[in-house]
């Protein structure tokens, strides 16, 4: 097992990589901006070109911060779900949160094909989609929370969450059948995920809710470590299983639900980042895993967004596709090399 100094050195290296990826993400795009000008812009000094200043301050900086929030938030929520259900295939959307958000957006975009123009009017503004996704996630969360209070078995909650996801997916399919080609295209584009459509005001709201989810996650470190021993043993140590389970579900919902509402569903990060972190740090202690997942998730998301930008090109690839194409082979390689999962 690595000692304390090894972990400290690993965190220092990861933080340096995170800073480099942050500046790289701001630098790359349809127009490459020198790092010197980026540093000057961030420190309040004028850059070489006024256009670069506008691009950095109003587009690339909020997008990079959003990437850090999305990567770290989904990574931590995935870690919470994998520990709660003791299932390596559990992710942040296993409770049906993403499906609920998708249903809310589908009602707004595709609903006019079934209900007339009632829901279509909401799509006039970007906030209509955000509110619809948030309400969809909240309703599914409410249903899962009601179930979690009455159900003793944690695995039963996992199955119920999957059933909620199936129900919402079926409703979305019905709405898609009646939707027009233009509406379907709008819905599909939302499903691709996007980090670059948020203003500073949007980022602030996202950060506040995300921050609350992070605080709850940090307060859950001790219960998470206890749950690794099994629910029966955790009870014998005095852990309130129902209360801890409820808190963990709320933290996951705040992180994954809010991120999905603002950026769309983003695959891979929540499922794979905890595995990558466990393999690299060779530990199951959440005091180490939680900050490590935070940094790893942010790094991977920044790298994927930089690739999606197609530097020196006017095209931008769907971030959802890039996260899976870049990340999945890395996870496969790590698991084959280690030949075991630390859990």
């Amino acid at each position: 097992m690595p000692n304390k100094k090894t972990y400290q050195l690993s965190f220092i290296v990861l933080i340096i990589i995170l800073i480099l990826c942050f500046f790289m993400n701001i630098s790359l795009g349809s127009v490459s901006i020198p790092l010197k000008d980026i540093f000057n812009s961030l420190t309040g000094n004028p850059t070489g070109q006024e256009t670069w200043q506008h691009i950095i301050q109003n587009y690339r900086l909020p997008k990079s911060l959003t990437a850090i929030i999305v990567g770290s938030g989904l990574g931590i929520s995935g870690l919470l779900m994998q520990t709660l259900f003791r299932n390596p295939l559990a992710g942040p959307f296993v409770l049906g949160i993403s499906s609920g958000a998708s249903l809310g957006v589908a009602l707004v975009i595709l609903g006019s094909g079934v209900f007339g123009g009632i829901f279509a009017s909401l799509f006039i503004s970007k906030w209509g989609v955000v509110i619809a996704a948030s309400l969809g996630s909240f309703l599914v969360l409410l249903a899962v929370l009601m179930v979690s209070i009455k159900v003793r078995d944690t695995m039963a909650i996992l199955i119920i969450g999957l059933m909620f996801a199936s129900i919402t997916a079926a409703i979305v399919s019905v709405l898609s059948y009646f939707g027009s080609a233009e509406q379907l295209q709008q819905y599909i584009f939302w499903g691709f995920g996007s980090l670059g459509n948020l203003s500073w005001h949007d980022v602030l709201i996202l950060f506040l809710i995300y921050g609350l989810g992070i605080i709850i996650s940090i307060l859950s470190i001790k219960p998470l470590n206890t749950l690794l021993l099994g629910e029966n043993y955790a009870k014998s140590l005095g852990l309130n299983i129902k209360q801890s389970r409820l808190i963990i579900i709320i933290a996951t919902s705040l992180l994954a639900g809010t991120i999905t509402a603002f950026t769309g569903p983003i695959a891979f990060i929540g499922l794979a980042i905890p595995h990558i972190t466990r393999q690299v740090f060779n530990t199951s202690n959440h005091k180490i895993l939680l900050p490590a997942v935070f940094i790893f998730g942010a790094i991977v998301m920044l790298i994927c967004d930089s690739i999606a930008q197609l530097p020196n090109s006017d095209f931008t690839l769907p971030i959802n596709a890039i996260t899976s194409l870049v990340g999945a082979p890395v996870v496969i390689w790590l698991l084959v090399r280690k030949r075991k999962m630390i859990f």
Side-chain angles (χ1 to χ4, degrees):
M1 288 288 291
N3 55 35
K4 187 176 180 181
K5 288 185 178 179
T6 304
Y7 285 134
Q8 290 175 345
L9 180 61
S10 299
F11 276 112
I12 291 171
V13 172
L14 283 176
I15 291 171
I16 293 172
I17 294 173
L18 175 61
I19 293 171
L20 292 175
C21 290
F22 177 73
F23 280 99
M24 179 189 71
N25 185 257
I26 297 176
S27 174
L28 298 177
S30 57
V31 177
S32 294
I33 302 175
L35 293 176
K36 179 182 177 182
D37 290 282
I38 294 172
F39 183 78
N40 288 335
S41 176
L42 296 180
T43 54
N45 298 318
T47 60
Q49 294 188 28
E50 189 176 339
T51 307
W52 289 354
Q53 176 83 10
H54 177 76
I55 292 173
I56 294 170
Q57 295 290 343
N58 298 305
Y59 179 72
R60 293 193 183 175
L61 184 56
K63 182 171 65 69
S64 297
L65 293 175
T66 301
I68 293 174
I69 291 173
V70 170
S72 59
L74 291 180
I76 288 175
S77 57
L79 175 66
L80 297 180
M81 288 294 95
Q82 289 175 12
T83 302
L84 176 63
F85 295 114
R86 294 185 58 79
N87 188 331
L89 296 179
F93 304 132
V94 74
L95 297 177
I97 297 169
S98 177
S99 301
S102 299
L103 176 59
V105 175
L107 286 171
V108 170
I109 300 176
L110 305 173
S112 59
V114 179
F115 305 105
I118 299 174
F119 293 97
S121 60
L122 291 173
F123 188 62
I124 296 174
S125 68
K126 177 179 63 177
W127 279 101
V129 176
V130 172
I131 292 171
S134 300
L135 285 174
S137 298
F138 175 76
L139 290 175
V140 172
L141 166 64
L142 195 62
V144 172
L145 289 177
M146 291 175 64
V147 170
S148 67
I149 293 172
K150 295 186 177 181
V151 175
R152 293 183 179 181
D153 187 10
T154 302
M155 291 306 297
I157 299 175
L158 176 61
I159 296 171
I160 291 168
L162 293 173
M163 294 303 101
F164 276 123
S166 298
I167 293 170
T168 54
I171 298 173
V172 170
S173 297
V174 173
L175 293 172
S176 299
Y177 179 81
F178 290 101
S180 65
E182 183 181 355
Q183 291 168 338
L184 287 172
Q185 185 183 46
Q186 290 173 340
Y187 180 73
I188 290 171
F189 273 114
W190 176 83
F192 285 157
S194 176
L195 304 178
N197 294 329
L198 302 185
S199 64
W200 278 112
H201 181 257
D202 301 336
V203 174
L204 177 61
I205 295 174
L206 172 61
F207 175 77
L208 291 175
I209 305 174
Y210 155 88
L212 179 59
I214 293 293
I215 291 171
I216 297 174
S217 301
I218 294 172
L219 296 175
S220 302
I221 287 177
K222 188 175 180 180
L224 287 167
N225 282 335
T226 307
L227 284 171
L228 290 175
L229 304 172
E231 288 193 3
N232 292 330
Y233 194 74
K235 286 180 182 177
S236 69
L237 293 176
L239 181 68
N240 188 326
I241 298 295
K242 282 192 175 183
Q243 182 182 359
S244 299
R245 190 167 62 190
L246 189 64
I247 292 172
I248 292 170
I249 290 174
I250 290 173
T252 302
S253 302
L254 285 172
L255 292 170
T258 307
I259 288 170
T260 303
F262 278 90
T263 65
I266 296 178
F268 164 76
I269 299 294
L271 176 64
I273 293 300
H275 289 306
I276 295 175
T277 309
R278 288 191 190 96
Q279 297 297 329
V280 173
F281 278 80
N282 195 33
T283 183
S284 58
N285 186 355
H286 286 78
K287 287 183 179 179
I288 297 169
L289 280 179
L290 202 70
V293 165
F294 179 99
I295 301 173
F296 261 116
I299 289 172
V300 172
M301 201 68 214
L302 285 168
I303 292 173
C304 289
D305 184 58
S306 298
I307 295 172
Q309 289 302 308
L310 290 176
N312 300 318
S313 171
D314 294 331
F315 296 98
T316 301
L317 296 176
I319 189 66
N320 224 340
I322 299 301
T323 52
S324 297
L325 288 173
V326 172
V330 175
V331 176
I332 294 171
W333 176 75
L334 281 171
L335 293 176
V336 170
R337 186 171 67 89
K338 290 281 185 179
R339 296 187 180 181
K340 65 177 181 178
M341 287 188 182
I342 301 166
F343 207 81

